[in-house]
Amino acid sequence: MNILFVADPLESFKIYKETTFAMMREAQKRGHRVSACEPKDMSWQTGAKVTAQVRHITLTGDADAWFTADAARPDAREAIAGFDAVVMRKDPPFDSEYFYSTHLLEQAEREGARVFNKPAALRDHPEKLAILEFAQFSGPTLVTRSATDIKRFHAEHKDIILKPLDGMGGMGIFRVKEDGLNLGSIIETLNKNGAESVMVQKFLPEIAKGDKRVLVIGGKPVPFSLARIPQGSEVRGNLAAGGLGVAQPLSKRDFEIAEALGPVLAARGLLLAGVDVIGDYVTEINVTSPTCFQEIHDQTGFDVAAMFIDAMEAALGAPQIR
């Protein structure tokens, strides 16, 4: 198959931990052709198909010069629908340009492209808001612009976490304890004086044991999670914020959550999702570019990338190659 990855610049990849790289490596291992572009490379002209300036790449196995690319004319464009599969792996933020990219990819779907995760599902599934749909698995959570509502939530729960809806990697997360120190200032910073919504959650002390990333592929859970454990005085477990990643088998509760959410997410066109679990509760459902493939594989031997390519081949009705 010819597989196109829509991603961040290849030159920015840290391949020792990059999940998109792990997907590419497994695809090439099976004999699939790997290509890449960035969202900015896509365009759509009246009466024509959605196209992109594409690089056809070969992974070299070298740790530094990790890929080579076929020479192509700067003005050469290819129809996205001409690829057998398109994997949307652009990292957040989910800004206007990301939003427009999903519309271009959705048009490519109408032209025959198979896109994973589905563009409409990416738009309709905000990663933080999504947990409120599954209240049976979520701890006390509030989404609001109102400073009054946030202060009322704090008065009820005493120890809370505040975060922006469009954050990633632990960016912009604050903890406010019972004394309410700096709560007003934090609210003003996050809600921009009432202009933007904020997510507020009851603090879960189980974070000390890790913020677990539970991966769900084709509706089925990967049997290991990556617990991202805060270090030192840090409240955030995110790897980008210095958390320690420790792979561990899924708990009974992890399986319960993943097996309940998995079929729902898969039916919506979300081939891959990263369900974040602290203690017994879901705190986010990541669908844009879930990570942790390589950390789980390195620590447990379970090949998450192989499971992903298996699921994609099955979705395409393609024979599976190992």
Side-chain angles (χ1 to χ4, degrees), residues 104-307:
L104 266 63
L105 288 171
E106 190 170 23
Q107 172 59 24
E109 282 186 317
R110 289 190 284 268
E111 296 163 2
R114 297 292 302 276
V115 184
F116 306 97
N117 287 325
K118 282 184 69 67
L122 291 173
R123 281 200 309 276
D124 295 343
H125 201 278
E127 298 183 321
K128 292 181 173 62
L129 285 173
I131 68 169
L132 294 171
E133 180 183 350
F134 304 99
Q136 70 273 35
F137 298 120
S138 304
T141 301
L142 168 70
V143 175
T144 183
R145 295 186 188 186
S146 168
T148 300
D149 288 350
I150 295 172
K151 290 174 181 177
R152 187 181 300 120
F153 187 91
H154 175 259
E156 178 182 357
H157 296 289
K158 312 299 183 186
D159 196 350
I160 64 172
I161 293 289
L162 302 93
K163 62 177 82 168
L165 288 180
D166 60 353
M168 62 170 289
M171 179 184 65
I173 292 179
F174 294 89
R175 179 185 179 184
V176 177
K177 298 183 181 181
E178 187 171 1
D179 59 14
L181 187 64
N182 288 328
L183 178 58
S185 178
I186 291 169
I187 292 172
E188 291 169 7
T189 298
L190 291 180
N191 81 346
K192 295 184 171 54
N193 293 313
E196 295 186 8
S197 297
V198 179
M199 172 170 274
V200 194
Q201 295 174 301
K202 180 181 178 180
F203 175 74
L204 300 173
E206 294 87 351
I207 183 63
K209 297 181 180 179
D211 179 356
K212 294 179 285 185
R213 169 60 54 84
V214 178
L215 293 166
V216 181
I217 298 175
K220 299 177 181 179
V222 172
F224 298 91
S225 70
L226 190 77
R228 296 158 298 173
I229 302 171
Q231 299 297 292
S233 61
E234 180 60 70
V235 71
R236 300 169 297 174
N238 308 74
L239 299 182
L244 174 67
V246 178
Q248 55 190 231
L250 296 193
S251 68
K252 181 179 178 181
R253 177 64 167 176
D254 296 338
F255 271 114
E256 180 186 2
I257 291 169
E259 289 172 349
L261 271 58
V264 176
L265 300 175
R268 295 175 181 174
L270 297 167
L271 185 71
L272 170 63
V275 181
D276 290 348
V277 179
I278 298 176
D280 289 335
Y281 297 107
V282 177
T283 59
E284 293 186 17
I285 303 174
N286 297 273
V287 300
T288 49
S289 58
T291 60
C292 301
F293 279 31
Q294 296 211 68
E295 292 88 345
I296 291 173
H297 180 248
D298 291 345
Q299 294 183 40
T300 70
F302 185 86
D303 197 335
V304 188
M307 181 176 173

